Amino acid sequence: MGREGHRLAAPRAFAATLLSVLALTARVASPETPAPSAAPTAPYAPPTSSPLAGPLQAAVRALSNEHVFKDAVISLEIADVDTGQILASFHEHAAVNPASNAKLYTAAAALATLHGDHHFETVLLGTLKGSSVSGNLVLRGYGDPSLTTADLFALVQELKGAGVRQITGDVMVDQRFFDEETTPPGFEQQPNEWASFRAPVSAVALNENTVTLSVRPGEVGSNAQVRFDPPGFVDVEGDVKTSDSGADTVGLELSANGRRLHAKLSGAVSRESRIVRYTRRVDDPTLLAGYALKALLEEAQIKVGGEVKVATGREGAVIARHESAPLSALLYSLGKQSDNFYAEMVFKSLGGEKKGRPAKSASGAELVQRWVDKVGAGDSGLVIKNGSGLFDSNRTTAASVVALLRAAWRDPTVQPEFVAQLSIGGVDGTLRHRFRSARTHRLVRAKTGTLEDAAALSGYVLSPSGHGPLAFSILFNHVAGKVAAARAAADTLVDIMARTAATDSR
């Protein structure tokens, strides 16, 4: 779940219809005259008399009549960003699960509210006395989704460079920028999923609140070298052997050990393997960064007198500081890579920065909804609960998504950074293996979305003629077992949009 696949062949009937549609496109012909299951099945109705609409309306009609989608709910709209004219649509107001297209709302609202130059801070606080931090050393975070073990190491080196050789008290973790709810809305639907895409959120989050086991083969018959990153958080039982050949059979079982983790290792790794890595989410991230910080302090020969605990009060002044890359850069992970953790962290941080602390996911949702209504992208049935679109939480419509895309494009304070974080067709992100033809390469900028029962693609088709782009949203629900067909149909429709844009004579 959450992974994007390669493009497969379009359904046969739709592909055949494409031939006649492309001929029509070449002439730019005159135009022809609540829950997803509740969406009505209505006849197709051309929405506009624009000269651009003919080939797009024909293509949408072909898609909507495709037998493979007879049980699907489709919400679709294509619009001219410059004029706002709707060029083609189908059930554009049907409320459906947008999957990862929900990240479009998170990214646009974050850029409009926090702005692209926003940085997330993580600081160390304490009282310096000579070569000691007298009392507790506090690690405080403000929702940085990108904090890594290397960043903690840099903070430790900053302390060491200041002459610190001892922490007389405890290592305290201050998570109070966020509320105590670490499970984003909807994530409770799969509580036993340990994959990293379902990681919890926290104000101080390290390595996206995951642990990574690295296994390096040794001599045949000996134990392989194993290491967990971040350090200090996982107790290890068992071992991994080095085999002469064959497939890697490493077993990793994680269980709670207080506020830390216990790992049971088994199996073998081939001597021919390079380093093998396995990443799993942390169930309780409250003290993850604190245990890692303590381990790094001790590796740097800075003695820690106490334990790792949860901070409850203010402790001294800032004595070391880490600043994230700007939000505009962090959104590349959210948009291009469809990173659920980044999306939920940014979504929740909106509440803490602009509504009140501690930050709550509900506050983030309120702020996103407020921005959506402000720019005229609201629609009946719109539901915003989480920032990633993971699981079955959100509802949107193609009309709402297209209105959002148009608003983001037309806002000069949002457009450059919003478009930059979208995947580029045939180049990067989740579209690197799609839209590789000369007609679409680099001209499609879009966000994908994939769940077991949903497929989505929304974004822009840029015009080589210099006109404004076409904005589109193609949302499929009820396509379990047919996601590849839905994705292929969406790609074919976008290909037709690209031909239309190439022959645009507006």
Side-chain angles (χ1 to χ4, degrees):
M1 186 172 296
R3 291 192 294 269
E4 309 294 345
H6 294 189
R7 180 182 178 182
L8 300 179
R12 276 192 215 114
F14 186 35
T17 305
L18 174 61
L19 295 176
S20 59
V21 171
L22 293 182
L24 177 64
T25 305
R27 300 194 303 271
V28 190
S30 300
E32 303 176 2
T33 311
S37 58
T41 302
Y44 178 80
T48 181
S49 59
S50 166
L52 295 176
L56 299 181
Q57 292 169 1
V60 170
R61 182 183 298 107
L63 187 155
S64 66
N65 290 331
E66 179 57 46
H67 182 73
V68 72
F69 302 130
K70 65 181 179 64
D71 297 321
V73 177
I74 304 171
S75 185
L76 189 155
E77 186 170 282
I78 305 167
D80 182 324
V81 167
D82 283 346
T83 66
Q85 281 189 305
I86 308 304
L87 304 177
S89 63
F90 183 78
H91 291 165
E92 67 274 22
H93 297 293
V96 297
N97 185 343
S100 282
N101 272 203
K103 294 181 176 76
L104 293 169
Y105 291 81
T106 302
L111 286 170
T113 306
L114 298 179
H115 307 297
D117 60 350
H118 178 80
H119 295 265
F120 296 89
E121 282 192 344
T122 304
V123 297
L124 293 178
L125 302 101
T127 302
L128 289 176
K129 289 189 177 179
S131 61
S132 298
V133 172
S134 180
N136 299 328
L137 177 68
V138 178
L139 175 63
R140 176 179 296 159
Y142 296 93
D144 183 359
S146 65
L147 189 71
T148 65
T149 303
D151 297 326
L152 277 192
F153 178 81
L155 287 171
V156 169
Q157 294 305 304
E158 190 173 341
L159 284 186
K160 191 171 183 178
V164 174
R165 296 295 178 265
Q166 178 179 240
I167 313 297
T168 64
D170 298 316
V171 171
M172 311 285 284
V173 184
D174 188 345
Q175 298 279 13
R176 290 174 295 176
F177 179 65
F178 281 5
D179 65 7
E180 295 181 356
E181 183 54 70
T182 61
T183 303
F187 283 42
E188 75 283 350
Q189 294 170 20
Q190 290 194 15
N192 297 320
E193 175 59 74
W194 283 87
S196 58
F197 68 75
R198 192 208 171 277
V201 295
S202 54
V204 183
L206 186 63
N207 296 349
E208 299 193 36
N209 281 338
T210 65
V211 293
T212 298
L213 167 66
S214 297
V215 182
R216 183 190 298 271
E219 296 296 324
V220 174
S222 68
N223 289 342
Q225 299 176 31
V226 297
R227 176 180 179 272
F228 276 95
D229 181 36
F233 190 71
V234 182
D235 293 324
V236 178
E237 173 190 353
D239 50 47
V240 177
K241 298 295 185 182
T242 303
S243 62
D244 184 39
S245 61
D248 297 329
T249 60
V250 176
L252 170 59
E253 296 180 17
L254 292 175
S255 58
N257 181 20
R259 279 190 151 162
R260 301 171 71 232
L261 284 178
H262 178 270
K264 185 175 181 180
L265 304 181
S266 60
V269 62
S270 169
R271 67 172 181 175
E272 299 173 350
S273 297
R274 298 182 178 180
I275 298 178
V276 183
R277 294 183 173 88
Y278 305 85
T279 299
R280 300 290 185 270
R281 71 174 176 89
V282 170
D283 192 43
D284 182 356
T286 306
L287 296 179
L288 171 65
Y291 280 107
L293 177 59
K294 184 173 184 286
L296 293 171
L297 288 165
E298 291 171 344
E299 286 179 15
Q301 280 84 52
I302 298 177
K303 183 179 179 181
V304 178
E307 301 300 325
V308 178
K309 298 179 181 179
V310 176
T312 56
R314 298 189 67 85
E315 297 277 352
V318 174
I319 54 179
R321 183 190 310 271
H322 170 75
E323 192 174 76
S324 76
L327 175 65
S328 58
L330 298 182
L331 289 180
Y332 277 54
S333 291
L334 188 155
K336 293 180 183 294
Q337 305 305 326
S338 203
D339 192 300
N340 299 307
F341 179 79
Y342 271 64
E344 298 299 345
M345 290 284 285
V346 171
F347 186 79
K348 193 164 186 173
S349 292
L350 281 171
E353 294 290 350
K354 295 299 180 181
K355 193 171 189 300
R357 302 178 183 181
K360 300 177 176 64
S361 292
S363 298
E366 181 181 333
L367 285 163
V368 173
Q369 181 70 62
R370 187 183 303 171
W371 178 82
V372 167
D373 292 340
K374 177 183 177 181
V375 300
D379 200 355
S380 176
L382 184 65
V383 177
I384 299 171
K385 287 189 176 180
N386 72 28
S388 65
L390 196 57
F391 305 117
D392 189 19
S393 296
N394 303 320
R395 291 290 182 271
T396 191
T397 70
S400 172
V401 175
V402 167
L404 177 151
L405 291 168
R406 186 165 181 260
W409 183 273
R410 292 169 62 83
D411 185 343
T413 69
V414 171
Q415 187 223 73
E417 293 155 328
F418 180 78
V419 176
Q421 56 91 35
L422 297 173
S423 292
I424 303 173
V427 176
D428 65 10
T430 57
L431 291 183
R432 62 190 177 278
H433 298 299
R434 297 164 70 176
F435 306 116
R436 287 183 158 183
S437 71
R439 183 168 50 255
T440 56
H441 187 250
R442 291 187 176 274
L443 293 180
V444 179
R445 307 294 171 95
K447 180 73 198 75
T448 56
T450 306
L451 292 170
E452 183 180 354
D453 197 32
L457 183 68
S458 301
Y460 307 100
V461 176
L462 306 182
S463 172
S465 64
H467 295 294
L470 302 180
F472 68 90
S473 181
I474 309 167
L475 309 175
F476 290 88
N477 275 195
H478 294 182
V479 287
K482 303 173 183 176
V483 168
R487 186 183 297 127
D491 287 6
T492 304
L493 182 55
V494 171
D495 188 273
I496 296 170
M497 291 183 221
R499 280 187 177 259
T500 302
T503 56
D504 184 3
S505 59
R506 283 176 284 173

